[in-house]
Amino acid sequence: MTFSSDDRASELRELFFESAAEILQAMNEAGLALEQHPADQERLRDVRRAVHTLKGDSAACGYRELSELAHALEDVLTPELVRENAGMIPEVVLTAADTFHEMLAAYRSNLQPPDGAALREHIQHLLRKPAAQPSKPAEQARFAWTEYQRLMIAEALRRGETAYHVAMHIAPEALLPAAAFELARKALESAGKILALHPETPPAAHVGLMEAAISSAKSPEWIRTRCQVPSVVARITVERIQAPQSAPRDLLEILLESEAAAVSAGIKAGAPELVPGHEPGHEPGHEKDPEEDAAPAGLARAAAENTLRVDAGRIEVVMNLVGELIIGKSMLHRTIDEFDRRYSRDPLRGRFSDALAFQARVLGELQKSVMKIRMVPVEQLFRRFPRVVRDVAKARNKEIVLELAGQNTDLDKGILDSLAEPLAHLVRNAADHGIESAAEREQAGKPVRGTIHLNAYHEGNQVVIEVSDDGRGLNREKIVRRAIECGIVSEEESRRLNDAESLQLVFAAGLSTADEVTEISGRGVGLDVVKAALGNLKGTVGLESEPGKGTTFRLMVPLTLASIQALMFRVGGRLYAVPLASVVEITRVNDDEIHCVEDREVFQLRQQVLTLVRLDRLGPVSARERAKRLFVIVIGSGTRRFGLAVDSLMGEEELVIKALEDRLLTSPLVSGASILGDGTVVLILNVPAVISHLSRIPAVGAIA
């Protein structure tokens, strides 16, 4: 099996971006940990390993700007500089994570990456720090090349060229560092082809040593004489690089070698050539850094993991096929039921039933297995927020701690990705608006340090994610006043609102209670974004707040959007379904037990009065005689409940959800559709939308 060079390069880069995202998350976590424990040597080693890995991986993929910046950062993360600047290191690490993230985003979009000015300034500041130690002996050549530079050297050796390591000790009396660097570099260019060079750019301060790898047909003595620049080069050493013995190589190393050959030749990489007697991982004369031994290249490590990386689109295809099998199972079930009715005495009935039961069991296991592949722990999302809280706390001069719980709760990856922005919005709001300043908290008798809790847990077929804080809570009067100013409610309507309904106004579009516009909030983009995102996920968002005690947002989302267990019913000749998880109970209500209160139909169920919803009033359905005794499905979502009047119940069934196009969806109360085995289309009721509809207007009106 062969692959085109473009396919290889594309797969290599995708692997790099995935690996880089994990590296940056690790850098963020290490930076936050170093703020609490600046002398944590293990965390510092983690950072150095992460930067070293990112440097090599980016070079292998041809991202020179990122590789060079990571190399410059690695140079200043020495134990000596770290000890001298312990207070600066956490900020440098976090700035590096942000800078690398921006550069990766630019590379993904095929744009010019940013120059990373903030990180470069930090690096220069660290280098400008005077050393409080006695003068050291002359610097020793290490030839610690990046993976990209090693591959260029290895490719030259593979072509049969002679390569040399050249160490040029710059004379201390050289007054102009940049001019001395250029003279030494030109001497190297005249001696042969430069394969690797450190430093690669003119230094701002005096540099004691220049290291190079060159390919040349000349002898070491000739090269030494050629590179001897008077008053610039004090001493020079030249060592020949020997080609190492053969060693087993994996596919990734072959791809990397091919990529290096393409760059070296200035053309696209062709099919990789398996050449014995070459290993690009190590050259004689290269003193290995202990950090390099501890951290092999990230791409090679990722390839060796016992993990299969599969594109999410492929899993989606398998999930859709499983959905079609479920529809096929429904068709088979209906066909066997019809066979039972026609041929009740046929001995094949039992064999058909056994075959159907076996097929249903295997299909159920297959569906569970595919769904498990899509399930990921919410920890992947929660890990982003300590950095968010830290940045807001620093910008607003607050002390805030973030506590996490339920990180191992599993959720569909598609839903988890869609929750990233809503959760980030809530966490930022809690840190910016919810938690008071240290002076306010002290005056209120609270601990100076505020606390934000993130928690996740399963509740039936749903996952609940709670974002809570111990801050000032929501100001009901302020919310209502802003809602009136924005024209969301009138003064007369506001007087009829209870406390819970008043708090729900924060989800109205355009309403913001921020008193000032900052980089964090206050631009009029309110919690309506959160509610809209939850609505798209067929979820709900609840809110509880107590002045002076804090606020809790409760997000409820389904485990998966692929299929649901549903209760089917008919209204006005149409077939509908409602998620079984939303059904509280089913009851019968007489017509004389239904009353009208403020233009709404209500009925009493034990000690509770519930609103009665009739779906046949939401569309142009012809008038017909009303039954004296109704089936009522009691539906609940969070703390809200209502009754749904139906003509008949059709039973439970597993439905595969099919999204409807906007032009076909005439009512927001319908979230999707499904197809039964006989081809009948079932409309799936959007429970959160129904509850929202009941909350918005005093009477249920036509919307279709």
Side-chain angles (χ1 to χ4, degrees), residues 609-643:
V609 176
L610 302 177
T611 299
L612 184 67
V613 176
R614 297 180 187 266
L615 290 180
D616 56 359
R617 291 189 177 181
L618 301 180
V621 180
S622 57
R624 65 184 190 281
E625 184 179 352
R626 180 170 297 173
K628 297 296 182 181
R629 189 167 173 82
L630 300 172
F631 282 106
V632 175
I633 304 173
V634 179
I635 296 176
S637 178
T639 59
R640 306 290 298 277
R641 291 188 179 188
F642 66 92

Side-chain angles (χ1 to χ4, degrees), residues 330-343:
S330 176
M331 294 173 60
L332 186 59
H333 184 76
R334 291 172 180 271
T335 302
I336 292 177
D337 284 347
E338 185 176 350
F339 183 86
D340 284 348
R341 289 193 298 272
R342 291 188 181 184
Y343 309 102

